[in-house]
Structures are given as C-alpha cells and as structure tokens.
Amino acid sequence: MVRVKLANSVLKEDKALTLLKHINSINSKYKIFKYYFAEDGSLFLDSYVLNQNGEVDCAMIFTVLDVIIKHITEEYKNVMKEIWC
C-alpha cells in the first residue's frame, strides 16, 4: 500500500459535511486510490499496489506513484480550497 498524508487535522466541524461530500465525489471518480479522514481529522490518500505471488513489482509501484503524483498535481489545489476557504 502507498499512503500519502495530505494535511494534518483539517476536518473541522463547521466544514465537515462539505468536505466529506467533496472527498466522496473524488473517491467515486478515481478507483485506483481513496481519500479518507483519520480520527484526528488528517487527510490521507491510500492506494493499494497489487502484486503476483507475493513478489514486489517495481514497475507497478512506479506506475501507481506516477498516477498519484499527476492526480495530486491536478486535484490538490481544489481540495485545499475546500478546506481553507
């Protein structure tokens, strides 16, 4: 699994419903990874890397990382706008 911590303690009660709806919308579009809020309100992105026969597939890991980086480059500013504005 690849886990990216995007923000610390950002889920606040006054914006929780709006943020959860936004994150749910993103999760419904992208199947390779999922966003979620931890109990302390921190925002994470998780992606599972499938492997065959328990062996690490470096090419698959690099592909997943590349997809995550491209996604964050495009979506991160939108998520942060929802959090801070």
Side-chain angles (χ1 to χ4, degrees):
M1 178 174 54
V2 175
R3 176 170 288 162
V4 179
K5 188 173 191 178
L6 297 170
N8 287 320
S9 302
V10 293
L11 185 62
K12 307 295 184 202
E13 196 172 316
D14 61 328
K15 296 194 95 175
L17 184 58
T18 301
L19 291 174
L20 292 170
K21 284 182 179 180
H22 186 75
I23 293 303
N24 192 44
S25 173
I26 294 171
N27 283 340
S28 69
K29 289 192 293 188
Y30 300 99
K31 304 303 180 195
I32 191 171
F33 45 78
K34 294 297 175 200
Y35 286 87
Y36 70 94
F37 288 100
E39 287 185 26
D40 71 352
S42 296
L43 180 60
F44 287 89
L45 181 148
D46 279 356
S47 182
Y48 290 93
V49 181
L50 300 176
N51 59 42
Q52 293 182 4
N53 303 323
E55 295 180 19
V56 175
D57 182 349
C58 293
M60 180 62 77
I61 293 171
F62 286 127
T63 299
V64 169
L65 289 172
D66 189 47
V67 169
I68 289 172
I69 290 167
K70 287 177 183 174
H71 168 75
I72 291 174
T73 300
E74 295 172 8
E75 193 66 40
Y76 185 78
K77 63 182 174 269
N78 299 326
V79 172
M80 291 300 113
K81 184 186 283 186
E82 290 290 330
I83 289 171
W84 302 119
C85 296

